[in-house]
Amino acid sequence: MGLKVALIEKDKTGGTCLNRSLLSSMFKNDEVVAKYVKPCAKRGCIPSKMLIHAADVATSILDAPRHGFNIGQLPPITDQKALVEHVCNEIDADSFSIKEAYDAHPNVTRFEGVASFVGARRVAVSNAHRTPPKEQTIISAERIFIATGCYAKIPPILGLVGTPFMTYRELLRAKTTPESMIVIGGGYIAVELGYYAARAGNTRTTFIVRDKMLRGEDECVRAHFQSEFSRQFDVRAGWALTRVSYTASTDERGVFTVDIEHVHTRQTDTVVAAALLVATGVEPDTVALDLAASGINTDKRGFIKVDSRFQTDCPGVYAFGDCIGRYLFKHAANFEGEWLFRTLFKEGQYPRFLRRWTASDGGVVYPPIPHAVFTYPQIAGVGLTEADARAKYGNDIVIGRCNIADVAMGAAIRATPESGFVKLVFRAQDGLLEGAHVIGEQAAVMVHMLIAFMQMKATVEDIVETVFVHPALVEVVRDAARVAYNKFAAVGGQKS
């Protein structure tokens, strides 16, 4: 496009999914234009899934005797140093290749430093955190794009500050895991990284969860997951931390002591471990930007306020991705950035895309945004939960559910009723698929069929009339739809 581009990054290139996202401004003479940069891989989804795969292998080995294999030593011992070095080498190479590509492009200027606004569409880049410090650079532009992502949220627990606790950043690069660890939290990061440490690192892991695990999931899925996860690991659900202390030792084997209290009974207890992982969620990385200097407002949690076209309160400044707090997923940020780029700079080149994903007022229309939790059992979902659907449609919904154990491949993998299920949510009015939720083997793969069904506005009939490979595990999707189809038929609806 012949545009000059400025990219500002305060850390390694590639975003949190590879590293952390970018704040970018792009300009051609006096007109600033945008290009979507797709970051992904260093302290987030890519390295964690590379490590979690090793945990899945360990889980398969632990399960092997149930299938008649004599494995020998259990649990399996992982060469964690070699595993983490492999992951780090792969990720560092990707990060360096991105940096090289930017530096080789004649129209891209890359700034390493901390960005902060000093006026409307004026950004100062400070290198004061580097050695030796460098002077500030001021960049002005007609259009600026913010995609700074989030970072780990640290709760105000008495005694926590000053102890050598870990967040996802430290754990993902740790070449050894301790013999025992306490995990604070019950969300995505907690159950994924806690699972990795317990399986690949053979770490005795205790999860301290104030309320419920994975609260945003469909309640049937959430309850099933918490039950199955608690059978594998020590889960203290309904307990709150009151104090943390750390006792150092000369052999670098310090001890964390965590005091907890049950939120209902007020019973107290103490948990001791060699390490502490804080995984209580994330918060937007927006404080250092000094957004008020440009008239940009945030909500009470610090997420940047944007309109339906991703524009902030400062004309010409846009934000997307985690920092706006809508969908905290890399794939959602991909879509938002692509929509923004095509809307602002390629409007005439993608008429079908823009017609489909743009509202009558010119704002974005989101496609179905899926998610997956890479732990054990694995979880995936898209669309409305049953509770969401009932809030929207009352009782005018139809649910179809089938256990993995009830299909042919379920028998092959020796599935039990605890192995998981597929749950589908249909609108009673016309049989439209409104939500889909999977827990168990291959959940993150199976959900993609359901994403496509939702994107194409499929009905229950469309699903049951689809020919599925037999005896593939995805037949559980078809059978869940058949359950719903029969419910429709019983009341005289949707059957033709």
Side-chain angles (χ1 to χ4, degrees):
M1 295 175 62
L3 308 172
K4 292 183 178 179
V5 178
L7 299 174
I8 306 170
E9 174 58 69
K10 68 180 180 182
D11 211 316
K12 298 247 180 121
T13 308
T16 295
C17 200
L18 185 43
N19 288 288
R20 182 166 302 207
S21 297
L22 305 170
L23 180 152
S24 60
S25 62
M26 308 184 186
F27 51 94
K28 181 179 183 180
N29 298 327
D30 293 330
E31 179 186 5
V32 179
V33 294
K35 174 183 179 183
Y36 177 47
V37 181
K38 296 183 178 178
C40 186
K42 191 134 188 145
R43 296 183 303 275
C45 53
I46 294 176
S48 68
K49 303 316 171 286
M50 294 174 74
L51 296 172
I52 289 167
H53 176 69
D56 289 339
V57 172
T59 297
S60 296
I61 295 171
L62 287 171
D63 192 46
R66 194 167 62 90
H67 296 267
F69 288 89
N70 184 2
I71 296 300
Q73 182 182 15
L74 290 175
I77 303 301
T78 306
D79 185 347
Q80 195 164 1
K81 182 175 183 292
L83 170 65
V84 173
E85 285 180 348
H86 165 71
V87 171
C88 290
N89 290 338
E90 289 288 322
I91 297 307
D92 289 343
D94 284 349
S95 179
F96 185 73
S97 69
I98 295 172
K99 179 179 176 180
E100 277 190 322
Y102 288 155
D103 291 344
H105 199 293
N107 285 6
V108 176
T109 302
R110 188 174 53 83
F111 293 87
E112 294 183 353
V114 178
S116 60
F117 283 90
V118 292
R121 296 183 301 282
R122 285 173 56 83
V123 175
V125 183
S126 172
N127 296 95
H129 68 300
R130 297 186 179 276
T131 303
K134 297 180 180 179
E135 296 180 358
Q136 277 192 345
T137 301
I138 304 297
I139 302 173
S140 62
E142 290 299 318
R143 289 195 178 109
I144 294 177
F145 300 85
I146 305 172
T148 49
C150 290
Y151 57 85
K153 181 179 181 180
I154 308 301
I157 300 171
L158 182 64
L160 180 63
V161 176
T163 67
F165 67 88
M166 293 185 290
T167 67
Y168 63 87
R169 291 175 59 112
E170 293 77 26
L171 185 60
L172 289 175
R173 293 245 165 188
K175 294 183 180 180
T176 61
T177 51
E179 62 182 22
S180 59
M181 183 169 69
I182 298 167
V183 178
I184 306 175
Y188 289 13
I189 297 173
V191 301
E192 289 189 346
L193 295 187
Y195 165 63
Y196 152 67
R199 284 288 182 261
N202 297 317
T203 299
R204 296 193 309 273
T205 308
T206 300
F207 294 81
I208 310 297
V209 185
R210 183 179 182 86
D211 189 10
K212 302 174 181 178
M213 305 192 95
L214 300 178
R215 290 178 297 172
E217 296 297 327
D218 180 271
E219 179 57 25
C220 291
V221 170
R222 190 213 63 74
H224 186 91
F225 173 82
Q226 184 165 318
S227 175
E228 289 303 298
F229 202 73
S230 298
R231 286 175 10 131
Q232 305 172 75
F233 311 112
D234 181 11
V235 176
R236 311 286 185 92
W239 291 81
L241 274 76
T242 57
R243 179 188 289 270
V244 172
S245 62
Y246 178 76
T247 303
S249 66
T250 55
D251 61 359
E252 298 184 356
R253 292 188 178 184
V255 174
F256 281 92
T257 301
V258 172
D259 296 330
I260 59 176
E261 181 182 75
H262 197 277
V263 296
H264 299 302
T265 67
R266 299 305 175 190
Q267 176 187 352
T268 60
D269 199 359
T270 299
V271 183
V272 176
L276 178 65
L277 174 66
V278 177
T280 54
V282 296
E283 52 191 6
D285 193 358
T286 55
V287 174
L289 294 176
D290 196 10
L291 297 170
S294 63
I296 297 173
N297 293 305
T298 62
D299 65 18
K300 61 182 180 181
R301 298 179 298 165
F303 290 104
I304 299 174
K305 290 184 176 181
V306 295
D307 62 17
S308 62
R309 303 181 187 185
F310 301 106
Q311 185 165 242
T312 69
D313 293 320
C314 179
V317 179
Y318 301 83
F320 64 96
D322 289 4
C323 67
I324 66 173
R326 289 182 181 173
Y327 297 99
L328 303 185
F329 305 119
K330 167 66 165 55
H331 45 273
N334 282 356
F335 171 79
E336 291 170 346
E338 193 71 22
W339 186 90
L340 192 55
F341 176 56
R342 292 183 177 188
T343 300
L344 292 176
F345 309 111
K346 298 285 187 176
E347 187 172 3
Q349 297 185 30
Y350 299 96
R352 182 182 180 278
F353 176 91
L354 295 179
R355 281 196 308 269
R356 190 171 192 181
W357 306 119
T358 304
S360 58
D361 65 354
V364 66
V365 174
Y366 283 92
I369 301 294
H371 69 277
V373 189
F374 294 87
T375 182
Y376 194 83
Q378 199 173 94
I379 291 173
V382 60
L384 300 180
T385 64
E386 180 179 348
D388 292 336
R390 292 196 184 281
K392 185 174 182 179
Y393 299 116
N395 290 325
D396 293 329
I397 63 172
V398 174
I399 304 296
R401 173 173 164 170
C402 181
N403 288 341
I404 290 173
D406 294 335
V407 299
M409 186 56 73
I413 64 174
R414 302 195 182 190
T416 68
E418 289 73 38
S419 297
F421 56 86
V422 169
K423 179 178 178 180
L424 307 179
V425 182
F426 296 94
R427 189 167 66 188
Q429 174 187 350
D430 51 13
L432 188 71
L433 180 63
E434 290 276 9
H437 309 278
V438 187
I439 181 169
E441 193 87 9
Q442 301 178 26
V445 175
M446 281 198 284
V447 76
H448 283 80
M449 169 178 280
L450 295 158
I451 298 166
F453 277 135
M454 287 193 65
Q455 179 119 334
M456 303 307 294
K457 300 189 181 303
T459 66
V460 64
E461 286 184 332
D462 293 322
I463 300 175
V464 299
E465 292 172 3
T466 298
V467 177
F468 288 69
V469 171
H470 178 76
L473 195 62
V474 291
E475 286 186 312
V476 69
V477 170
R478 178 204 61 196
D479 287 3
R482 282 178 173 176
V483 171
Y485 182 73
N486 290 334
K487 290 180 180 179
F488 277 108
V491 296
Q494 197 57 33
K495 187 174 182 179
S496 60

